[in-house]
Amino acid sequence: MALTTNTILICAGGGCISAGEESVKQAFERKLKEFGLDTVVKVVETGCMGACSLGPLAVIYPDGVYYQKLTPKAAEKIVEEHILKGRVVPEFLFEGEKEKLTIKEKPRGAEEIPFFARQVKIALRNVGVIDPMSIEEYIARDGYFALHKALTQMTPEEVIKEIKDSGLRGRGGAGFPTGLKWELARQQQSDIKYMICNADEGDPGAFMDRSILEGDPHSIVEAMTIAGYAIGAKQGFVYVRAEYPLAIERLQKAIEDAHAYGFLGENIFGTDFSFDIEIRIGAGAFVCGEETALMHSIEGKRGQPRVKPPFPVQRGLWGKPTVINNVETLALVPPIILRGASWFRQFGTEKSPGTKVFALAGKIKNTGLVEVPMGITLRELLYEIGGGHPQGKQIKAVQTGGPSGGVIPAEYFDTPVDYESLGKLGAIMGSGGMIVLDEDDCMVDVAKFFLEFTVDESCGKCTPCREGTKVMYDILDKITKGEGTMEDIEKLEKLALVIKDSSLCGLGQTAPNPVLSTLKYYRHEYEAHVRDGVCPAKRCKAFISYVINPEKCVGCTACARVCPTNAIRGEVRKVHEIEQDACVRCGSCIEVCRFGAISKVTPAVSSAVAR
């Protein structure tokens, strides 16, 4: 067998695949074969490397050189120059490195690149590093060592104690202590118990769990088996949404390979412990992220929540004690068992130990996945790792926790990111979705966006959520259309508090959070819409007009040609005008104007024609 001289890791996460990863991979393979290097250079598709905005990404080992925004031609050049001649190709280096690199210098390693330097990868330890379809590569990274240790050297009680001592809290949103949940399930007297992995990740912009399943599926198989041993379960289910076909494919392969190696099934590692895992595919309802609705769905019933107690650890799936942990929580379990609770506690804070994976999205330069120690400040997360605003604008706020979370204004960006600190600000950790907002985002419109999502996703079982969120949405719609009153703002706030206190499940109880947090920090924007007829962010169409600056307009007609309603009048090389009654405020004109002659104003211009 020929020795491997180089390994090319190609990110095969969802972002890179959609950016053309497959064609880049084929170009690498084609060029390597052309030079007769295909037997000594290995091309490996990995899970998500994190920097989604820079895909397709590839890393060349043993040099550890990151390349970004690759095309098939770029891949061919990298083979010709880097692989064949040992010359780094500067134009495709990871962003931020190019200006510091001369052809004789070696690019800095990942640990020195700002996007990666502050990260501590525990849950994502193998994502973007190994071939997720290879159990051998997982084993080579200490895979299944924790399971072996648990089954051969520890009692179930000792496994639970290790997890309790680590302080691990559920990464799905609520932050409930994982070890305590396992202990409560262990104490239940029942002939059958179940272990469930909640992979029904549904927050807009969140893809942490999907990336772990796609990039490191064996870590979930191993963790679920350890959890099954600890609580006394012999059967596990992974509940994953149908929108994640790649995750399902790789997880199924991992389960089959684990069976073949004796890590799943009867008498694992020659012990008397047996455990198996099945995949259950959900239809993608957001409410099925709630644990009782999820269990109903697995049972073949409609995915609706029920009243708690009894809690799942007491009476769960098919009436049996059941533990439900989400993907990220489980991904942290094997390293804790292998390295110990004190090792895990060196990261994070006293009450929130360990790390957390966040999905950075919105108005941020480095979008993608990051894993950082708990306690890092939002400012460090957004500016040092996220790179700040892509156009250098002021970041106005960040929405954490998805539609169940709240906005945090810029003046609180020095707040440490942990469960307690975010809760004090009226936000939540949630599953880790983090959407960055800038001065162009209207906070009333942001609240309306998230509420529209929860209205659509409400299962309809309880009245406060089913009817109340719809009434709230209608009020927000009125305000953004210029039809709101000051009484509407008061009604909105009262209704939000009632829904929060009276809804049946977590979806309804947290649905008002975006409204309450925006009212808390940006009430003046609500009042500006109602009282002054102004949208401060110039976002709501009812409050803005597009106008042409006659001193800048050169009469190029570009704006008139793209206007869908022919609202722009003017002859060639003469100043143009916008007929406001015909303008639908789509913004097409401002996008094509190369002279900065068109701008938005608020309040809306009242005259029929405005320059």
Side-chain angles (χ1 to χ4, degrees):
M1 185 175 67
L3 292 176
T4 299
T5 58
N6 290 89
T7 300
I8 303 174
L9 300 184
I10 302 179
C11 176
C16 284
I17 288 175
S18 61
E21 175 271 340
E22 181 62 26
S23 60
V24 172
K25 173 175 170 280
Q26 291 173 357
F28 271 124
E29 292 174 336
R30 185 171 57 248
K31 206 65 178 177
L32 288 170
K33 189 172 185 179
E34 181 182 324
F35 289 131
L37 297 171
D38 54 321
T39 57
V40 294
V41 179
K42 188 177 179 183
V43 180
V44 177
E45 286 182 305
T46 72
C48 179
M49 292 182 181
C52 300
S53 61
L54 303 178
L57 286 163
V59 191
I60 311 296
Y61 283 106
D63 302 328
V65 177
Y66 276 74
Y67 288 110
Q68 62 162 356
K69 296 183 178 178
L70 296 178
T71 62
K73 286 193 174 181
E76 291 177 355
K77 186 169 183 178
I78 289 169
V79 172
E80 292 173 358
E81 294 294 318
H82 191 145
I83 302 296
L84 194 62
K85 303 173 184 175
R87 301 170 181 166
V88 172
V89 185
E91 59 262 44
F92 304 116
L93 285 177
F94 198 91
E95 193 161 308
E97 294 301 292
K98 287 182 287 188
E99 69 277 9
K100 298 176 182 176
L101 181 84
T102 67
I103 199 67
K104 294 182 179 179
E105 290 176 325
K106 180 182 177 183
R108 294 181 294 176
E111 68 280 359
E112 298 178 71
I113 297 174
F115 181 75
F116 296 109
R118 297 292 305 273
Q119 295 196 47
V120 177
K121 295 197 173 187
I122 301 176
L124 299 177
R125 60 194 179 280
N126 293 325
V127 180
V129 178
I130 66 170
D131 178 358
M133 303 292 273
S134 169
I135 190 172
E136 292 83 4
E137 291 199 15
Y138 180 71
I139 294 171
R141 299 268 296 175
D142 294 340
Y144 292 106
F145 282 45
L147 176 61
H148 182 270
K149 178 181 178 182
L151 296 189
T152 61
Q153 302 175 32
M154 303 172 75
T155 65
E157 289 76 14
E158 288 172 336
V159 172
I160 291 173
K161 184 177 185 303
E162 196 72 53
I163 298 299
K164 285 184 71 176
D165 290 347
S166 74
L168 176 63
R169 299 170 67 172
R171 299 306 198 245
F176 191 84
T178 302
L180 177 58
K181 184 183 283 189
W182 289 14
E183 186 177 60
L184 291 171
R186 178 77 190 173
Q187 292 169 349
Q188 300 300 311
Q189 299 299 315
S190 177
D191 55 339
I192 298 175
K193 298 177 184 178
Y194 294 108
M195 177 66 214
I196 295 176
C197 172
N198 183 353
D200 193 59
E201 182 179 51
D203 290 5
F207 54 101
M208 297 76 65
D209 292 351
R210 188 194 73 197
S211 295
I212 293 173
L213 286 177
E214 290 179 354
D216 192 19
H218 281 285
S219 67
I220 303 307
V221 174
E222 182 178 12
M224 287 185 69
T225 310
I226 293 171
Y229 173 69
I231 67 172
K234 294 184 177 180
Q235 180 65 51
F237 294 94
V238 179
Y239 186 84
V240 57
R241 51 181 47 216
E243 292 99 323
Y244 289 179
L246 189 61
I248 295 170
E249 175 191 342
R250 292 178 178 176
L251 183 62
Q252 186 61 52
K253 175 74 163 53
I255 291 172
E256 292 169 1
D257 287 349
H259 265 288
Y261 274 70
F263 302 150
L264 271 182
E266 298 293 325
N267 304 115
I268 299 171
F269 285 121
T271 67
D272 59 358
F273 175 66
S274 302
F275 187 76
D276 213 339
I277 297 174
E278 293 181 24
I279 299 174
R280 294 297 169 92
I281 300 173
F286 183 65
V287 72
C288 285
E290 198 279 338
E291 53 189 12
T292 60
L294 182 154
M295 290 188 295
H296 282 159
S297 182
I298 290 179
E299 292 171 351
K301 303 172 185 174
R302 184 174 181 180
Q304 288 187 320
R306 63 162 170 80
V307 175
K308 293 184 286 187
F311 294 98
V313 293
Q314 301 165 312
R315 186 176 173 82
L317 191 63
W318 289 298
K320 301 297 183 181
T322 303
V323 163
I324 304 174
N325 291 132
N326 86 326
V327 172
E328 185 184 341
T329 309
L330 288 168
L332 293 168
V333 167
I336 292 173
I337 295 299
L338 201 58
R339 300 189 180 190
S342 57
W343 167 82
F344 186 71
R345 277 193 169 276
Q346 71 179 298
F347 308 106
T349 66
E350 176 64 27
K351 293 184 177 179
S352 300
T355 58
K356 179 75 188 81
V357 182
F358 293 99
L360 287 179
K363 311 291 181 59
I364 190 84
K365 184 178 180 182
N366 300 326
T367 58
L369 286 186
V370 298
E371 183 174 4
V372 292
M374 293 276 200
I376 191 173
T377 66
L378 283 166
R379 191 177 305 283
E380 292 171 316
L381 186 55
L382 297 177
Y383 288 95
E384 294 183 21
I385 296 176
H389 194 282
Q391 284 85 45
K393 291 183 180 179
Q394 187 72 31
I395 293 178
K396 182 177 182 177
V398 60
Q399 167 84 17
T400 64
S404 300
V407 296
I408 300 174
E411 56 262 39
Y412 296 102
F413 280 179
D414 290 319
T415 301
V417 179
D418 57 48
Y419 293 100
E420 289 73 25
S421 300
L422 294 186
K424 289 177 183 174
L425 295 177
I428 64 171
M429 183 84 71
S431 59
M434 199 168 272
I435 299 176
V436 182
L437 308 169
D438 70 6
E439 58 199 41
D440 296 327
D441 290 302
C442 167
M443 304 314 280
V444 184
D445 191 57
V446 167
K448 179 183 165 184
F449 169 81
F450 284 110
L451 207 60
E452 182 179 18
F453 178 85
T454 48
V455 168
D456 286 343
E457 295 292 338
S458 174
C459 74
K461 185 171 183 177
C462 75
T463 305
C465 179
R466 182 185 67 244
E467 302 294 334
T469 54
K470 179 65 171 63
V471 174
M472 287 179 66
Y473 173 80
D474 290 342
I475 293 173
L476 289 168
D477 193 46
K478 279 178 62 181
I479 294 174
T480 56
K481 289 180 176 176
E483 301 166 358
T485 64
M486 296 300 285
E487 289 74 24
D488 282 332
I489 298 176
E490 301 301 324
K491 182 179 178 182
L492 187 66
E493 191 166 28
K494 290 179 181 177
L495 191 54
L497 294 172
V498 170
I499 294 170
K500 191 176 179 68
D501 290 339
S502 57
S503 290
L504 175 61
C505 78
L507 186 150
Q509 291 161 8
T510 57
N513 283 350
V515 174
L516 290 171
S517 62
T518 50
L519 276 171
K520 180 179 181 180
Y521 298 115
Y522 298 95
R523 196 181 193 92
H524 59 281
E525 291 201 14
Y526 283 81
E527 293 173 349
H529 283 68
V530 172
R531 186 181 55 212
D532 307 325
V534 168
C535 175
K538 300 176 185 175
R539 177 86 176 180
C540 299
K541 290 184 178 180
F543 301 98
I544 64 168
S545 292
Y546 287 88
V547 296
I548 295 176
N549 184 341
E551 296 181 358
K552 293 184 177 180
C553 179
V554 298
C556 69
T557 75
C559 56
R561 282 183 274 123
V562 299
C563 179
T565 59
N566 297 317
I568 301 178
R569 304 195 306 242
E571 299 177 10
V572 177
R573 296 182 182 175
K574 291 187 178 179
V575 174
H576 285 35
E577 297 174 331
I578 298 177
E579 186 178 348
Q580 295 298 323
D581 291 341
C583 177
V584 293
R585 298 168 179 82
C586 66
S588 298
C589 54
I590 202 169
E591 291 177 2
V592 299
C593 181
R594 295 182 290 116
F595 304 97
I598 302 177
S599 60
K600 288 190 288 186
V601 296
T602 185
V605 176
S606 57
S607 59
V609 176
R611 286 182 177 175

